[in-house]
Amino acid sequence: MKKIFPLLVLCVIFFASCGAADNSDAYRPYTVALHVRVDMLVANMHALDSSQHELIPADGVIFSGYVAVAVGETVFDVLQRTMRDERIHMSARFTPIINEAYVEAIGNIFAFDAGALSGWKFHVNGEFPGISASSVELRDGDVVIWAYTLDLGRDLGATTW
Amino acid sequence: MFILHPVMLVISFVCAGVYAFLLRGVRVLMRGLVLLLPMMLVAAAMNPLFNHRGVTILTYLPNGNPVTLEAVLYGLAVAGMLATVITWFVAVNAVMTADKIVFLFGRFWPALSLLLSMSLRFVPRMIRQGRVIVVAQKGLGRKPNALKVISILMTWALENSIETANSMTARGYGLRRRTAFHLYKFHRRDVFALGWMITMALVVGVGVALGVNRYRFFPSVQFHALSGASVIVFVSYFALGAVPIILRAKEVLVWKRINSAM
């Protein structure tokens, strides 16, 4: 038991430190409209496992609202911050060397949960940038829509990916 | 054994633990547990770090991903399964001697049975020889260090493998029609035991297939409500896991009675 004790202490410290978020009141001059939608899933519920049906809101809206954004914040930063503030589940994978974040899940709906071509895509002012959300900086008045696709974005009207 | 339902995990683990205790004694079991516990902890702790599924967010990792209650519970269940499987194999190692393996697989796959019986024997044999070397070195008045012991052990193993190969060729291993001595006959009690196990396994299998004790961990933990059918499945699962315990206990009792009668 002696050997296990330090491990336990480390675990406790580690998890305790996880809770500390930076709640700094940064100056956020921009306002951006952010929508997170699962319309494709509402129309194709059968593509999902039945255990996940309870996660899909009937109107397809997981989040919709206006968000204050700081200068230089990216689409990814804003999504992550907002989801955390709104207590909505979200999970991402990071590739630090190319500074890329991949949003694998919002609201417990993961990429590939509804087929091999499914996942989260975003567009800003109706345009699919074709690069990672952590590389797209936002400006005042932008409209960001995160939508779940079943077909690599083609069902959302994307021509680039 | 591979069902992550907590009740079934507990049943299986208790059966495996009691059987391993009956076979190997409390010391081997405790030593196994001391090795097992950190492994379980690591398995349980690792899962929520990499698995972010689940609707109950407990806290956030430094990289912004959530730690969920469901992932923690799943990690614990997997750790329990790991412990159960290892405990069963402690018992299997004690029961399945080389001659039984050769008897079982020798007919239709001689190479496999040979490989199994030899490789399963390999690790304990190396450990035993390692101890012999340490004692011999001490007897010579030397201080045995690990590197030296391993070096001697390797030399011994290489030499030994050549001898084994020669000896086995001489005894006709690998020939198709080589027979092995055995005393196993299929008695009526074996028919009964086999029938019992197959029946119980079938009940459990059908129950699981019908989903009478469905469970899921993601996105939210849910277990099928306890019903008559699920209780039947639990009881049959226990009746299946308890078979080796009952057989072993009976053997011990018979042995004691014969001994005390003498």
Side-chain angles (χ1 to χ4, degrees):
Chain A
M1 283 312 281
K2 261 182 197 164
K3 280 178 194 163
I4 300 162
F5 187 68
L7 199 78
L8 275 174
V9 172
L10 268 179
C11 278
V12 169
I13 293 171
F14 177 70
F15 280 110
S17 66
C18 294
D22 56 326
N23 287 321
S24 55
D25 283 318
Y27 178 55
R28 292 174 181 146
Y30 298 165
T31 304
V32 163
L34 177 66
H35 305 277
V36 182
R37 308 188 57 100
V38 287
D39 305 284
M40 292 304 145
L41 287 173
V42 174
N44 297 287
M45 281 291 250
H46 57 86
L48 275 181
D49 189 76
S50 59
S51 67
Q52 289 181 298
H53 285 189
E54 66 183 37
L55 300 168
I56 309 296
D59 58 356
V61 180
I62 286 182
F63 175 80
S64 180
Y66 290 94
V67 183
V69 172
V71 177
E73 269 196 305
T74 63
V75 173
F76 177 76
D77 296 331
V78 171
L79 179 74
Q80 193 171 42
R81 179 159 53 79
T82 313
M83 292 301 107
R84 197 161 163 172
D85 290 347
E86 296 289 325
R87 307 214 150 270
I88 299 171
H89 171 275
M90 181 200 149
S91 169
R93 290 174 186 275
F94 306 90
T95 315
I97 198 158
I98 50 172
N99 186 30
E100 194 184 272
Y102 172 69
V103 175
E104 61 172 358
I106 307 174
N108 260 293
I109 306 154
F110 278 67
F112 311 122
D113 274 1
L117 303 179
S118 65
W120 286 97
K121 280 191 78 77
F122 71 99
H123 51 94
V124 183
N125 302 327
E127 270 181 52
F128 289 86
I131 52 175
S132 167
S134 53
S135 309
V136 181
E137 289 188 9
L138 285 170
R139 275 168 306 190
D140 198 25
D142 279 344
V143 178
V144 182
I145 298 181
W146 282 89
Y148 196 83
T149 175
L150 302 179
D151 191 22
L152 271 180
R154 279 182 283 249
D155 51 355
L156 305 171
T159 48
T160 58
W161 48 80
Chain B
M1 197 160 78
F2 297 112
I3 303 168
L4 284 176
H5 195 292
V7 176
M8 296 180 86
L9 272 180
V10 168
I11 291 172
S12 188
F13 184 70
V14 167
C15 289
V18 171
Y19 190 44
F21 162 72
L22 285 177
L23 286 173
R24 308 288 299 268
V26 77
R27 272 195 53 223
V28 175
L29 203 63
M30 287 313 281
R31 209 170 57 204
L33 274 179
V34 166
L35 281 173
L36 217 65
L37 224 71
M39 211 158 78
M40 285 173 68
L41 269 177
V42 168
M46 287 297 263
N47 189 53
L49 295 187
F50 297 104
N51 183 351
H52 305 300
R53 274 179 198 266
V55 291
T56 322
I57 296 170
L58 296 177
T59 179
Y60 284 89
L61 295 171
N63 66 11
N65 282 341
V67 174
T68 66
L69 177 67
E70 285 78 8
V72 172
L73 292 176
Y74 186 78
L76 287 175
V78 170
M81 188 188 79
L82 207 67
T84 309
V85 170
I86 289 172
T87 316
W88 273 122
F89 269 92
V90 168
V92 166
N93 270 342
V95 172
M96 289 301 282
T97 47
D99 59 319
K100 284 180 190 160
I101 292 170
V102 170
F103 169 68
L104 274 177
F105 298 110
R107 286 284 171 77
F108 61 90
W109 202 350
L112 175 82
S113 68
L114 198 62
L115 198 72
L116 268 177
S117 66
M118 283 181 76
S119 53
L120 286 178
R121 192 164 138 262
F122 190 68
V123 173
R125 193 150 150 258
M126 290 283 267
I127 293 170
R128 210 178 309 136
Q129 184 66 20
R131 286 208 194 100
V132 170
I133 292 167
V134 169
V135 170
Q137 290 281 311
K138 276 184 185 154
L140 285 172
R142 291 179 188 160
K143 259 196 183 151
N145 66 10
L147 208 67
K148 201 158 218 168
V149 171
I150 286 171
S151 157
I152 297 168
L153 195 61
M154 283 302 136
T155 319
W156 170 81
L158 287 172
E159 193 185 324
N160 203 60
S161 69
I162 298 167
E163 265 174 31
T164 312
N166 282 340
S167 163
M168 283 170 67
T169 317
R171 281 152 218 249
Y173 272 91
L175 298 178
R176 276 227 51 94
R177 295 187 58 78
R178 186 181 191 278
T179 55
F181 171 75
H182 61 78
L183 267 178
Y184 304 119
K185 277 189 179 147
F186 210 70
H187 293 288
R188 262 186 63 196
R189 56 181 188 180
D190 298 312
V191 176
F192 179 72
L194 189 67
W196 175 264
M197 288 195 289
I198 289 176
T199 315
M200 290 308 143
L202 267 180
V203 171
V204 172
V206 168
V208 168
L210 289 177
V212 294
N213 46 18
R214 258 196 313 270
Y215 61 93
R216 73 167 209 224
F217 285 91
F218 304 109
S220 54
V221 177
Q222 265 182 24
F223 295 104
H224 203 272
L226 206 65
S227 64
S230 65
V231 170
I232 289 173
V233 168
F234 291 147
V235 170
S236 342
Y237 198 55
F238 179 71
L240 184 63
V243 165
I245 300 173
I246 295 165
L247 294 181
R248 177 74 192 170
K250 192 204 118 207
E251 261 175 53
V252 170
L253 285 180
V254 169
W255 176 252
K256 283 220 172 111
R257 209 184 58 213
I258 292 170
N259 263 3
S260 58
M262 276 198 298

